[in-house]
Amino acid sequence: IVGVGVGVVVPVQQPDVAPLSLTLTRLGPEAVEVDWSDDPRAASFLVIRDGFDLATVTSTSLVDNSVIFDETYCYQVEGHDASGRLVAASSNGCITIFP
């Protein structure tokens, strides 16, 4: 007798997404320091600027030297665990670079 198994779909439990606090500080004439709180489950952080991936880092800060005067930049940070799952995220924060 050959048994035929019935497929059972088990949903993958996604981890809760913890909030990250975000701080934006202007450094010098054309740089922004992006700082955020840590999450112990995050192995890396993805820094997003204006909806596009800017950098992936393992620290809790980044200096963006690619900003120019009279522009507004919006940043968000996502923390990912070693498997690449989203475990933490900040809200969107914006800064305008005035001369």
Side-chain angles (χ1 to χ4, degrees):
I1 298 177
V2 176
V4 177
V6 175
V8 176
V9 176
V10 177
V12 175
Q13 181 68 28
Q14 293 294 327
D16 291 332
V17 177
L20 296 174
S21 62
L22 181 68
T23 304
L24 304 174
T25 307
R26 181 171 174 194
L27 296 178
E30 295 179 337
V32 172
E33 182 173 12
V34 184
D35 295 295
W36 57 92
S37 56
D38 198 3
D39 185 286
R41 299 173 300 162
S44 65
F45 296 94
L46 173 63
V47 181
I48 301 163
R49 184 181 80 185
D50 298 330
F52 296 96
D53 296 356
L54 181 64
T56 298
V57 298
T58 56
S59 63
T60 57
S61 69
L62 172 89
V63 174
D64 180 2
N65 291 308
S66 63
V67 299
I68 58 174
F69 292 129
D70 295 325
E71 294 290 332
T72 298
Y73 299 93
C74 296
Y75 296 86
Q76 183 179 14
V77 176
E78 296 180 349
H80 296 268
D81 67 12
S83 299
R85 291 179 297 210
L86 178 66
V87 295
S90 74
S91 58
N92 208 31
C94 299
I95 188 169
T96 300
I97 309 301
F98 293 108

